[in-house]
Amino acid sequence: MGFCVEWMDGTSSSLGSENWRKTPRIDYKEVLSVDEFERFSRLRERRKKISQEDGVPPYMVMTDAQLAEIAKMENPQISALERIEGVGMAQVEKFGERLLKS
């Protein structure tokens, strides 16, 4: 049994630094209104509960960016979730109703 390693000069793989992130971190408290941030926080709590119940990571339920889009809606409906970028029908069917419950 063996393995091969290929060395690539000029590249860095420092997992301890923030350079590995593809997108910059967003402070949703700064980009959402006070009301939207309150909805966002409630959605995050529901997402956490759903992820624990289903045994999946929270991002598999919805990402923070997707939750922020939902939080911007005054009265989100299940049908509106499908229009959010990256949200698929399977996510809507599996998590949508529980996520939007009052």
Side-chain angles (χ1 to χ4, degrees), residues 3 16 22 26 28 45 47 51 53 57 71 78 90 94 96 99:
F3 61 92
K22 292 181 183 175
I26 297 171
Y28 288 100
E45 285 300 316
R47 176 185 68 179
S51 74
E53 290 171 352
I78 295 287
K94 189 168 184 178
L99 193 62

Side-chain angles (χ1 to χ4, degrees), residues 18-46:
E18 292 296 314
N19 294 336
W20 62 270
R21 290 186 192 274
K22 292 181 183 175
T23 57
R25 192 164 256 231
I26 297 171
D27 183 352
Y28 288 100
K29 197 168 191 173
E30 290 183 8
V31 298
L32 298 172
S33 72
V34 173
D35 291 338
E36 291 169 345
F37 187 74
E38 284 180 25
R39 287 192 292 268
F40 175 75
S41 296
R42 285 193 304 271
L43 288 166
R44 286 190 69 182
E45 285 300 316
R46 288 187 205 140

Side-chain angles (χ1 to χ4, degrees), residues 9-98:
D9 287 332
T11 61
S12 173
S13 175
S14 55
L15 295 177
S17 75
E18 292 296 314
N19 294 336
W20 62 270
R21 290 186 192 274
K22 292 181 183 175
T23 57
R25 192 164 256 231
I26 297 171
D27 183 352
Y28 288 100
K29 197 168 191 173
E30 290 183 8
V31 298
L32 298 172
S33 72
V34 173
D35 291 338
E36 291 169 345
F37 187 74
E38 284 180 25
R39 287 192 292 268
F40 175 75
S41 296
R42 285 193 304 271
L43 288 166
R44 286 190 69 182
E45 285 300 316
R46 288 187 205 140
R47 176 185 68 179
K48 181 179 178 180
K49 183 179 177 186
I50 292 168
S51 74
Q52 289 172 341
E53 290 171 352
D54 290 19
V56 297
Y59 67 85
M60 295 292 289
V61 178
M62 297 272 172
T63 65
D64 281 350
Q66 292 163 339
L67 293 181
E69 289 302 313
I70 297 168
K72 291 176 185 177
M73 301 175 192
E74 287 291 326
N75 188 20
Q77 303 297 315
I78 295 287
S79 59
L81 298 181
E82 297 173 34
R83 294 190 295 270
I84 297 172
E85 184 177 341
V87 176
M89 183 58 95
Q91 276 177 295
V92 173
E93 289 173 356
K94 189 168 184 178
F95 308 119
E97 193 172 311
R98 292 185 286 166

